[in-house]
Amino acid sequence: ALELPTETELEKGRKKLLSALSFSPVKIEDLIKYTYIEPDVLNFLIIELELSGRLERRYGNSVCLIS
């Protein structure tokens, strides 16, 4: 069964992720290293930001803020 991250995990992860992102592309692997966010939580947060129109996926498995 698929286990979704808890709201506490997401809230902590959101703060860390938003402070690590910029308008320049950052590799997802580097975000995992620098933020210590679990990969499943990080992927959930990336999708959340992508759906809200704040983040864009780029070449080379990178992401960046767009607004």
Side-chain angles (χ1 to χ4, degrees), residues 2-41:
L2 177 65
E3 249 187 73
L4 294 176
T6 66
E7 191 55 42
T8 304
E9 289 174 313
L10 291 174
E11 193 55 41
K12 285 181 185 176
R14 260 185 216 105
K15 290 177 185 174
K16 288 180 184 179
L17 179 57
L18 288 172
S19 68
L21 287 171
S22 72
F23 293 100
S24 299
V26 181
K27 289 188 177 285
I28 292 174
E29 295 82 17
D30 291 340
L31 288 172
I32 293 168
K33 280 186 221 172
Y34 300 141
T35 63
Y36 298 102
I37 299 172
E38 291 293 323
D40 58 335
V41 175

Side-chain angles (χ1 to χ4, degrees), residues 27-61:
K27 289 188 177 285
I28 292 174
E29 295 82 17
D30 291 340
L31 288 172
I32 293 168
K33 280 186 221 172
Y34 300 141
T35 63
Y36 298 102
I37 299 172
E38 291 293 323
D40 58 335
V41 175
L42 183 66
N43 283 324
F44 190 97
L45 293 170
I46 286 172
I47 291 169
E48 184 180 77
L49 287 170
E50 209 172 5
L51 290 173
S52 70
R54 297 182 63 196
L55 179 132
E56 181 175 83
R57 290 183 188 265
R58 293 291 183 96
Y59 58 89
N61 204 27

